């Protein structure tokens, strides 16, 4: 009873303390705190419970908005992925720049060896086995889609040539890596075959061994997927903060890239109405890479998935080109909607660690969702949002100094410029094959003639 009585006597004291805190908070309801670094700096911050009495367009709240004037490889990538083109009327137009990769092995070459290498990767080489299959009458090449795959392998791929070069360079310093490099790199005819070999051995089980997975992956992936995976790999290299990032390391060990390859296979299975196998791939990827990506989701190329850990992408979600998704990001539903219930992410969006975007809402191009933010409303283009719930903190200014300048001049073209042009030629020819594949899928008759013409001309 005494203890009970002591509780009763203490309650009024606690109540008084709470009333005192509330009264102090109320006294600050109209106050504003301003922090200034430099006279020209727009660095203002308000108390959470205050009513701002000034223009809030440039309010800075968190570290992500404070650092907007500093160099940020992820934020600057959106601008670097755009090209400025001057048309005949002296007006600026913008198009997506070609993302390229130059290996450190190539940079360290002598000028003579480098020129020889650049000439080599520009030359189409046909394997003797492939040449024999072209001349044969009763070979698998008579199937149109097999012809497309053959032409795909015959394209001079600058990225794949550099990956093979890096593998041979590693063998000189690390002979024990020979079995892995020969199995997954040097014995494979193309980049997609190498990715398929790596992933099949990673996620193979007793129920579905690596050999069966390898055949299924190569059978399901289409040429449009090949381009997307090419862009995904370059994104995994160029947007990785590590200085040790190479194309070879990304292909062999980047878990986010491997999760994307598995998703693209599952997506094709889902479109073919093989939903059981698609769900099996999703479950396997979830347990192996800790990424839960629904097979029905739509993801364009050039996605940088930092790691698979904790990433959830819902069934009706859509992710645009050249996006960056860090660990723990959720693109989910609110639980109050059915059907089309997941977000649509525009091109070049950055979603930082732990960000959640919920509901059937649009996130505009080039927007940034800061860490741990919860977004439930539409996000405009180039906006930086933060908070729970997230609100717009600032609008990013276009930095044209970072834009990729298109140039057709060969004079003064350095190694990066030369390599970029080779990527452009490669992707242009690759796109021709994708167009033929799309034409064949639509059942048009003119596709076979165009395909035979490309095959006979050796591309």
């Amino acid at each position: 009873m005494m203890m009970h009585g002591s509780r009763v006597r203490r309650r009024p004291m606690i109540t008084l303390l709470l009333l005192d805190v509330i009264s102090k908070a109320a006294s600050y309801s109209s106050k504003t705190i301003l922090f200034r670094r430099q006279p020209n700096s727009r660095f203002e911050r308000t108390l959470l419970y205050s009513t701002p009495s000034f223009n809030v367009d440039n309010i800075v709240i968190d570290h992500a908005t404070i650092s907007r004037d500093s160099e940020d490889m992820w934020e600057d990538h959106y601008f670097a992925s755009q090209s400025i083109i001057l048309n005949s009327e002296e007006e600026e137009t913008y198009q997506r720049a070609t993302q390229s990769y130059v290996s450190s092995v190539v940079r360290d070459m002598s000028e003579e060896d480098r020129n020889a290498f650049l000439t080599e990767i520009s030359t189409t080489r046909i394997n003797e086995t492939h040449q024999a299959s072209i001349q044969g009458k009763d070979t698998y090449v008579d199937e149109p889609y097999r012809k497309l795959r053959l032409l795909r392998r015959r394209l001079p791929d600058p990225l794949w040539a550099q990956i093979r070069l890096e593998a041979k360079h590693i063998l000189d310093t690390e002979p024990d890596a020979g079995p892995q490099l020969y199995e997954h790199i040097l014995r494979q005819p193309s980049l997609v075959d190498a990715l398929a070999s790596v992933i099949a051995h990673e996620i193979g089980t007793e129920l579905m061994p690596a050999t069966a997975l390898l055949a299924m992956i190569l059978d399901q992936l289409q040429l449009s997927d090949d381009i997307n995976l090419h862009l995904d790999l370059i994104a995994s290299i160029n947007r990785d903060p590590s200085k040790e990032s190479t194309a070879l390391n990304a292909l062999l060990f980047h878990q986010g890239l491997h999760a994307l390859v598995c998703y693209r296979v599952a997506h094709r299975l889902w479109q073919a109405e093989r939903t059981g196998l698609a769900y099996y791939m999703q479950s396997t990827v979830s347990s192996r890479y800790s990424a839960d990506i629904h097979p029905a989701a739509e993801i364009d190329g050039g996605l940088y998935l930092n790691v698979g850990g904790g990433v959830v992408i819902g069934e009706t979600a859509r992710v645009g080109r050249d996006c960056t998704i860090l660990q723990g990001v959720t693109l989910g539903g609110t639980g109050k909607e059915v059907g089309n219930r997941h977000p649509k992410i525009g091109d070049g969006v950055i979603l930082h660690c732990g960000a959640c975007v919920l509901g059937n809402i649009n996130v505009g191009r080039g927007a940034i969702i800061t860490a741990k933010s919860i977004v439930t409303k539409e996000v405009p283009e180039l906006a930086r949002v933060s908070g729970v719930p997230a609100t717009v903190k600032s609008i990013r200014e276009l930095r044209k100094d970072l834009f990729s300048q298109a140039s057709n001049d060969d004079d003064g073209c350095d190694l990066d410029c030369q390599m970029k042009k080779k990527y452009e030629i490669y992707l242009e020819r690759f796109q021709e094959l994708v167009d033929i594949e799309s034409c064949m899928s639509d059942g048009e008759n003119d596709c076979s003639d165009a395909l035979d013409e490309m095959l006979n001309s050796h591309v």
Side-chain angles (χ1 to χ4, degrees):
M1 293 300 292
M2 185 178 296
M3 184 178 296
H4 177 72
S6 62
R7 288 182 181 174
V8 173
R9 287 193 295 271
R10 290 179 181 175
R11 283 177 183 172
M13 297 179 62
I14 297 175
T15 303
L16 289 174
L17 290 174
L18 289 174
L19 290 174
D20 184 60
V21 172
I22 293 173
S23 63
K24 290 181 179 180
S27 66
Y28 285 99
S29 60
S30 62
K31 293 183 178 179
T32 300
I33 296 179
L34 300 179
F35 299 89
R36 299 195 180 276
R37 296 175 294 181
Q38 300 294 336
N40 295 329
S41 175
R42 297 172 295 184
F43 181 51
E44 302 174 342
R45 186 171 184 172
T46 62
L47 294 176
L48 295 178
Y49 42 78
S50 67
T51 302
S53 58
F54 49 85
N55 187 355
V56 298
D57 290 341
N58 296 313
I59 289 183
V60 178
I61 296 295
D62 50 48
H63 71 279
T65 55
I66 292 172
S67 62
R68 65 173 172 226
D69 294 329
S70 63
E71 297 182 0
D72 188 312
M73 64 176 300
W74 289 326
E75 295 193 15
D76 291 348
H77 170 76
Y78 174 76
F79 304 116
S81 64
Q82 311 298 315
S83 288
I84 298 180
I85 307 295
L86 290 177
N87 57 24
S88 58
E89 299 177 356
E90 298 296 328
E91 294 181 357
E92 292 182 349
T93 58
Y94 303 92
Q95 69 178 21
R96 189 176 309 280
T98 301
Q99 300 300 309
S100 61
Y101 166 73
V102 181
S103 172
S104 59
V105 179
V106 178
R107 294 186 187 276
D108 294 339
M109 286 181 173
S110 64
E111 184 175 357
E112 181 180 356
D113 293 341
R114 186 187 304 133
N115 291 334
F117 176 75
L118 293 175
T119 303
E120 179 182 358
I121 64 177
S122 301
T123 305
T124 303
R125 294 192 172 190
I126 305 177
N127 187 290
E128 293 180 359
T129 304
H130 294 163
Q131 182 65 42
S133 66
I134 295 174
Q135 298 173 352
K137 296 181 179 180
D138 299 324
T139 62
Y140 71 89
V141 185
D142 292 335
E143 302 177 19
Y145 286 99
R146 296 291 187 180
K147 291 181 181 180
L148 281 173
R149 182 66 62 180
L150 174 61
L151 287 171
R152 159 69 180 87
R153 290 179 176 178
R154 289 167 53 191
L155 287 179
D157 185 350
L159 180 59
W160 176 237
Q162 291 180 89
I163 291 174
R164 291 178 59 87
L165 185 66
E166 290 176 351
K168 294 176 182 178
H169 179 73
I170 290 295
L171 283 176
D172 295 336
T173 58
E174 192 62 53
D176 292 339
Q180 182 187 34
L181 295 177
Y182 276 108
E183 176 68 25
H184 299 317
I185 306 296
L186 299 177
R187 292 178 53 189
Q188 303 301 328
S190 69
L191 174 61
V192 173
D193 291 87
L195 281 169
S197 176
V198 172
I199 290 164
H201 285 81
E202 278 191 349
I203 67 173
T205 62
E206 294 183 0
L207 182 63
M208 183 169 287
T211 51
L213 275 171
L214 179 62
M216 184 190 69
I217 292 172
L218 294 177
D219 183 61
Q220 291 299 317
L221 289 177
Q222 299 181 7
L223 294 182
S224 57
D225 299 314
D226 291 4
I227 285 188
N228 287 335
L229 291 174
H230 187 280
L231 299 175
D232 292 340
L233 178 55
I234 292 181
S236 300
I237 308 163
N238 292 342
R239 278 178 260 170
D240 190 341
S242 173
K243 294 182 179 180
E244 303 299 325
S245 178
T246 64
L248 178 63
N249 289 340
L251 191 154
L252 292 175
F253 308 117
H254 198 286
Q255 301 295 293
L257 175 66
H258 296 175
L260 279 175
V261 177
C262 295
Y263 150 75
R264 299 198 186 280
V265 175
H267 184 64
R268 290 302 178 188
L269 290 169
W270 184 271
Q271 290 181 326
E273 298 184 355
R274 301 172 66 181
T275 55
L277 193 53
Y279 277 130
Y280 171 80
M281 286 291 293
Q282 179 192 8
S283 176
T284 304
V285 170
S286 179
S287 60
R288 178 64 178 82
Y289 303 115
S290 301
D292 193 357
I293 306 176
H294 197 282
E298 298 180 11
I299 301 177
D300 288 340
L303 174 63
Y304 174 57
L305 190 63
N306 185 26
V307 293
V311 173
V312 178
I313 300 178
E315 177 183 4
T316 58
R318 186 189 182 284
V319 180
R321 293 171 62 95
D322 296 329
C323 291
T324 297
I325 296 180
L326 305 186
Q327 59 266 28
V329 169
T330 298
L331 305 180
T334 61
K336 301 177 182 179
E337 301 172 294
V338 294
N340 191 7
R341 60 196 183 279
H342 296 110
K344 311 300 181 286
I345 309 300
D347 297 345
V349 172
I350 303 172
L351 296 111
H352 284 277
C353 306
C356 293
V357 186
L358 306 177
N360 183 19
I361 60 176
N362 294 316
V363 178
R365 294 181 302 114
I368 297 176
I369 315 297
T370 60
K372 302 297 182 181
S373 299
I374 298 180
V375 182
T376 57
K377 296 182 179 180
E378 302 273 334
V379 178
E381 294 185 359
L382 296 177
R384 184 181 281 103
V385 301
S386 178
V388 181
T391 55
V392 177
K393 306 304 179 183
S394 63
I395 301 296
R396 303 170 66 191
E397 297 179 0
L398 293 177
R399 295 183 56 186
K400 293 185 179 180
D401 58 306
L402 293 175
F403 281 31
S404 177
Q405 301 291 335
S407 175
N408 296 322
D409 298 332
D410 293 331
D411 297 337
C413 192
D414 58 8
L415 176 61
D416 294 288
C417 174
Q418 295 179 54
M419 194 65 73
K420 181 178 178 180
K421 289 185 177 182
K422 295 186 182 301
Y423 277 96
E424 289 174 348
I425 295 173
Y426 168 74
L427 292 176
E428 182 180 353
R429 293 182 176 179
F430 204 154
Q431 188 60 47
E432 293 178 2
L433 297 180
V434 173
D435 294 340
I436 293 177
E437 182 184 55
S438 178
C439 174
M440 292 168 56
S441 300
D442 295 337
E444 299 181 13
N445 297 326
D446 298 337
C447 311
S448 299
D449 296 337
L451 180 59
D452 292 336
E453 183 180 351
M454 291 186 67
L455 193 63
N456 294 330
S457 63
H458 292 174
V459 191

